[in-house]
Amino acid sequence: MPQSRGEVIILAIESSCDETSASICSDGKILSNIIATQKIHEQYGGVIPELASRAHMQNIVPVVDAAVKKANCQLSDVSAIAFTQSPGLIGSLLVGSQFAKSLALALNVPVIPVHHMQAHVLANLIETPAPAFPFLCLTVSGGHTQIVMCNAPGDIHVIGETIDDAAGEAFDKSAKMLGLPYPGGPLIDKYAKYGNPLRFKFPEPQIADLNFSFSGLKTAILYFLKNAGQNMVFKEEFTATETEQAAFIHENMNDICASIQHRIITILLNKLKKAVDKTGIMRICLAGGVSANSGLRNAFKKLGEEKGWQTYIPSFEYCTDNAAMIAIAAYYKFLSGNYEYDLGISASAKSDW
Ligand code: KG4
Ligand code: ZN
């Protein structure tokens, strides 16, 4: 239902975890992408759902207001309002979904529910050159690790995924063991730049098909640290005292981070190579918060050059949680007409597609 300016203008809201974000997209072009990051969780070493919902309540009106102003448009210009429907923290999702539905009711425009993981994949369509269809996408975030096949914006299938922890969790939990604050992924990235990635050899899990596993790596790192780097074998009694462990971490932080990061990257890229062999598709995208990792970005590009793939990585602001990806996903849904005019639609914590 294009408005009088002849444009499809989407106002999108993302509130699935600890980022409150709003974006305006006009005919598929992102005009604004405002993100309010909730710092309150840092002191707790992880996201506290109740605090996240409260922070979304505080942030949502100013964030939406800022997105509309930055795009230099009016709420009355909006053709549809999109929101992250699932998956995520239910209290956080409810704030965004209720706000979106209320605004849609007031403006008499449709609401478009968007799947957060599909939106991460479609973030690759925001910038140019965008991949042609079909393409594969390695989506690596705090809660998910997936390889998906994308035949069209509304035709996305998971062909491999983690059977336990996500890649982002592997980063964050490793960082926590190293005494680093939450979220530790970006800090591991920072220290890894100065370290030797081959110094410590963490195990690569042998998991069938295109699936991933990161829980064994987490355990290996735990034993490795408890033994102050002497070995990764479980022993009833660890060989190092807490003081020795802390000293070992302090002296070797860069190499430990580089080695952990190297292993996570090789686990991810080895499966991606398998996915390309299996499908024959050579247009490959990265998505999700972990795709902000500089080591992964570089290794992915290098592998693509070696293999002759066409590779795509969204800009940083479209990798971690953001509403622009919700807006672009909703824009394609709007064009296809594949959504219902239904204000009764509700948020869901589940990740069903
Ligand atoms: O996609 P995202 O923003 O939120 C979820 O949907 O989960 O991903 C967040 C994850 C966190 O685990 C965070 O540590 C990780 O992305 N992350 C990184 C980097 N930046 C964000 N991990 C490694 N290196 C980074 N530079
Ligand atoms: Zn995400």
Side-chain angles (χ1 to χ4, degrees), residues 14 16-17 116-117 120 141-144 288-289 319-322 325:
E14 153 64 27
S16 64
C17 192
H116 182 86
M117 297 312 296
H120 269 304
S141 74
H144 294 79
C319 285
T320 47
D321 287 349
N322 68 88
M325 68 184 194

Side-chain angles (χ1 to χ4, degrees), residues 202-277:
F202 295 108
E204 179 161 4
Q206 303 304 314
I207 304 294
D209 304 325
L210 299 177
N211 293 330
F212 303 89
S213 167
F214 290 98
S215 64
L217 174 63
K218 183 180 63 187
T219 312
I221 294 168
L222 176 73
Y223 295 156
F224 168 79
L225 295 176
K226 290 224 176 246
N227 290 313
Q230 294 312 302
N231 61 57
M232 290 176 210
V233 181
F234 175 75
K235 287 188 180 167
E236 293 275 313
E237 284 179 15
F238 296 110
T239 51
T241 64
E242 282 193 11
T243 315
E244 286 166 339
Q245 288 172 41
F248 171 74
I249 291 172
H250 182 71
E251 283 160 25
N252 298 284
M253 185 63 107
N254 294 345
D255 287 349
I256 298 172
C257 288
S259 302
I260 292 172
Q261 180 170 298
H262 172 74
R263 177 50 73 219
I264 294 174
I265 292 171
T266 51
I267 292 172
L268 293 171
L269 295 186
N270 284 345
K271 287 291 172 159
L272 197 52
K273 280 190 257 181
K274 270 194 171 179
V276 173
D277 290 345

Side-chain angles (χ1 to χ4, degrees), residues 21 31 54 70 85 103 143 226:
S21 181
L31 301 185
R54 289 179 193 208
K70 181 155 186 219
Q85 184 193 17
L103 200 52
K226 290 224 176 246

Side-chain angles (χ1 to χ4, degrees), residues 16-18 47 87-89 115-117 120 139-146 160-173 182-183 212 214 287-291 319-321 349-351 353:
S16 64
C17 192
D18 58 342
V47 177
L89 301 171
H115 191 286
H116 182 86
M117 297 312 296
H120 269 304
T139 316
V140 274
S141 74
H144 294 79
T145 298
Q146 299 176 330
E161 63 188 329
T162 183
I163 58 168
D164 43 52
D165 291 349
E169 265 177 296
F171 271 108
D172 295 340
K173 288 179 178 170
Y182 177 87
F212 303 89
F214 290 98
V290 179
S291 58
C319 285
T320 47
D321 287 349
K350 290 193 193 145
S351 76
W353 292 65

